[in-house]
């Protein structure tokens, strides 16, 4: 046995195998060798605690350290390593208060020698969302220009909703100074920052640099790219990234809502319906949503049953209004004009059409079906097209709104021949099943790789309008749980009148 406290070279080899190479078995052999040579040195057990921590044997690791609780440390370095080891165990146990205390003990001994404790305390502050304290610690350390710590600083600024400042820090870091792991974090953060700023091209540039060799990297990368494609309106691509995210360990619970929205955007209402049981929404909302989905799918009888159930006990003004509108559509679609007229009369007498302006369009449809004469001059464009369809008016509307108009995202090329476009699309939808059944039929048409939304009079190929992409799809079903607070009324509400008057007869 050698009579000195420690061997720097051997300790350096242990740290190299343990922290750099992650070669646990080799580190164990070296630690055994070290403790045989220096049984009185605390550092042997400090590094053995790291082995136990890596094996998630946290209580054993703490026990090894506690054995030296009252020992006298032979150097500041040994004491710093001792308390840093405590901090690492508590941080992994998610006992952040004790981790923070241990790191601060290590730093107080000698800040210039406690670089690992500083790095870990910064990450603890980040997890605890103590962003100001983390940034102060970085600024006061002698590690302010350490590349790995600068990546952490960029992360903290990003999490603190300061993407511009995060970008300024991250883009100054030399890539060659970072490990592969830290480099991937840097690229991922830059991608996230630019995404938050709406600079999607730059965001994608950095995200695509993230290494795909690890499942975790693919998960993070696909998560951000999915949201970028969704924001850009590329819903097919967003769905691809969503599936990639889930396939690489992404949390399905966190993404069901987005998946549901993507299915709606793609008119994949059958898939959305299958997903509904997994969503965190109230039973009341589920009945209304099921009614909407079945209506969009053309399952009008099933839709009516769900809407009746929802109307019988809904407490939300929004759900009540949506249910009445959807029920009116189902009556119109199934030719149940008498029930439809009763429903319209109820809305006029008891709720004055509040939030139900679309029922005016349905009243126009009733007049068309019954052959009633009305003043066409008072009708909106869509109502006029229901009552007395005009191909020429449709072409004029498309040209004014979606070629010459201000709606740039949904505009066709200015050289588009609208007459030819109309005829081509009319031929296509003649043999197509609508992607969505509502007051109008809606189609998603692929024109030589360009996706076009088409709105037509129901059960016809009479085109009302068409536009690029999906920007005007206004039928998205909201999923926010209990989004509208229940209200207390001093007098009988329209919902109460409905339930009293019709009960379960509808």
């Amino acid at each position: 046995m050698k009579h000195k406290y420690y061997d720097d070279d051997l300790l350096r080899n242990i740290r190299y195998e343990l922290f750099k190479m992650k070669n646990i078995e080799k580190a164990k052999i070296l630690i055994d060798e070290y403790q045989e040579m220096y049984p009185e040195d605390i550092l042997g057990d400090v590094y053995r605690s790291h082995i136990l921590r890596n094996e998630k044997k946290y209580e054993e690791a703490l026990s090894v350290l506690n054995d030296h609780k009252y020992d006298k440390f032979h150097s500041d370095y040994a004491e710093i390593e001792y308390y840093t080891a405590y901090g690492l165990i508590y941080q992994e146990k998610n006992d952040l208060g004790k981790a923070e205390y241990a790191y601060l003990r290590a730093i107080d001994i000698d800040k210039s020698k406690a670089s690992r404790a500083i790095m870990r305390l910064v990450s603890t502050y980040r997890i605890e969302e103590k962003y100001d304290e983390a940034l102060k610690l970085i600024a006061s350390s002698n590690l302010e220009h350490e590349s790995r710590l600068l990546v952490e600083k960029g992360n903290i600024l990003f999490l603190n909703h300061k993407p511009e400042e995060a970008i300024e820090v991250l883009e100054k870091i030399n890539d060659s100074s970072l490990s592969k792991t830290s480099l991937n974090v840097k690229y991922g953060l830059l991608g996230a920052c630019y995404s938050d700023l709406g600079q999607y091209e730059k965001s994608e540039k950095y995200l695509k640099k993230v290494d795909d060799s690890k499942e975790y990297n693919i998960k993070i990368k696909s998560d951000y790219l999915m949201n970028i494609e969704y924001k850009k309106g590329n819903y097919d691509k967003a769905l691809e990234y969503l599936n990639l995210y889930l396939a690489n360990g992404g949390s399905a619970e966190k993404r069901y809502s987005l998946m549901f929205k993507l299915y709606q955007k793609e008119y994949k209402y059958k898939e959305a319906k299958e997903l509904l049981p997994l969503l965190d929404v109230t039973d009341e909302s589920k009945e209304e949503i099921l009614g909407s989905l079945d209506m969009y799918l053309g399952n009008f009888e099933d839709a009516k049953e769900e809407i009746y159930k929802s109307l019988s006990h809904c407490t939300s003004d929004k759900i009540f209004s949506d249910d009445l509108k959807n029920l009116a559509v189902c009556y119109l679609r199934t030719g149940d004009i008498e029930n439809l007229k009763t429903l319209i009369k109820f809305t006029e007498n008891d709720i004055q059409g509040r939030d139900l302006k679309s029922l005016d369009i349905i009243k126009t449809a009733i007049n068309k079906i019954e052959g009633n004469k009305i003043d066409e001059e008072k009708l909106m464009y869509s109502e006029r097209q229901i009552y007395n369809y005009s191909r020429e008016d449709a072409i004029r509307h498309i040209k004014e709104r979606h070629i010459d108009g201000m709606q740039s995202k949904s505009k066709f090329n200015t050289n588009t021949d609208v007459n030819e476009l109309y005829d081509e699309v009319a031929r296509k939808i003649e043999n197509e099943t609508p992607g969505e059944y509502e007051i109008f039929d809606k189609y998603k048409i692929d024109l030589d790789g360009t996706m076009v939304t088409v709105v037509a009079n129901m059960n016809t190929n009479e085109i009302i309008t068409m536009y690029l992409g999906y920007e005007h799809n206004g039928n998205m079903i909201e999923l926010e749980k209990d989004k509208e607070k229940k209200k207390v009324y001093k007098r009988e509400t329209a919902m109460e009148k409905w339930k009293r008057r019709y009960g379960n007869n509808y």
Side-chain angles (χ1 to χ4, degrees), residues 170-213:
L170 292 164
E171 289 198 329
K172 288 179 180 176
I173 303 171
N174 191 319
D175 287 359
S176 63
S177 67
L178 295 172
S179 68
K180 197 171 183 180
T181 299
S182 294
L183 189 59
N184 281 322
V185 173
K186 173 189 167 178
Y187 290 152
L189 283 170
L190 282 167
C193 289
Y194 279 118
S195 175
D196 276 7
L197 294 172
Q199 298 181 38
Y200 301 131
E201 191 173 327
K202 283 187 177 180
S203 176
E204 288 175 292
K205 181 187 81 171
Y206 282 110
L207 289 170
K208 287 174 180 177
K209 286 184 175 185
V210 175
D211 177 33
D212 282 344
S213 63

Side-chain angles (χ1 to χ4, degrees), residues 246-260:
L246 296 173
N248 285 278
S251 170
E253 288 76 16
K254 291 181 181 179
R255 290 295 171 230
Y256 285 148
S257 176
L258 180 58
M259 186 185 290
F260 187 81

Side-chain angles (χ1 to χ4, degrees), residues 28-157:
K28 281 181 180 179
I29 293 169
L30 293 175
I31 290 169
D32 288 342
E33 179 185 336
Y34 186 85
Q35 289 196 300
E36 186 176 341
M37 294 169 65
Y38 308 105
E40 296 180 8
D41 184 14
I42 193 174
L43 288 172
D45 275 344
V46 167
Y47 290 120
R48 190 168 296 284
S49 77
H50 288 304
I51 297 285
L52 292 167
R53 175 175 58 82
N54 283 326
E55 294 172 344
K56 301 193 185 303
K57 297 176 180 177
Y58 301 124
E59 297 312 313
E60 290 183 48
L62 288 171
S63 179
V64 167
L65 293 176
N66 286 337
D67 286 343
H68 300 279
K69 199 169 186 179
Y70 302 106
D71 286 8
K72 185 177 180 180
F73 298 98
H74 58 73
S75 70
D76 287 349
Y77 170 75
E79 192 173 4
I80 288 168
E81 288 291 286
Y82 178 78
Y83 284 112
T84 302
Y86 261 119
L88 289 166
I89 295 166
Y90 283 125
Q91 188 172 7
E92 287 195 16
K93 280 168 60 69
N94 205 33
D95 192 340
L96 299 181
K98 287 182 180 178
E100 187 178 324
Y101 173 79
Y103 293 140
L104 285 169
R105 285 288 299 268
I107 293 166
D108 285 344
I109 294 160
D110 189 338
K111 183 180 278 189
S112 67
K113 296 177 182 176
S115 58
R116 190 137 47 96
I118 291 170
M119 294 284 291
R120 289 294 184 163
L121 182 55
V122 168
S123 68
T124 303
Y125 283 150
R126 168 174 52 79
I127 295 165
E128 294 179 300
E129 299 183 7
K130 297 178 178 179
Y131 302 132
D132 289 342
E133 286 162 77
L135 294 172
K136 284 177 186 175
L137 178 59
I138 293 170
S140 67
S141 73
N142 59 346
L143 304 169
E144 195 175 8
H145 301 295
E146 162 67 37
S147 295
R148 191 157 56 98
L149 195 59
L150 287 174
V151 172
E152 185 68 88
K153 183 178 181 179
N155 194 4
I156 290 163
L157 290 166

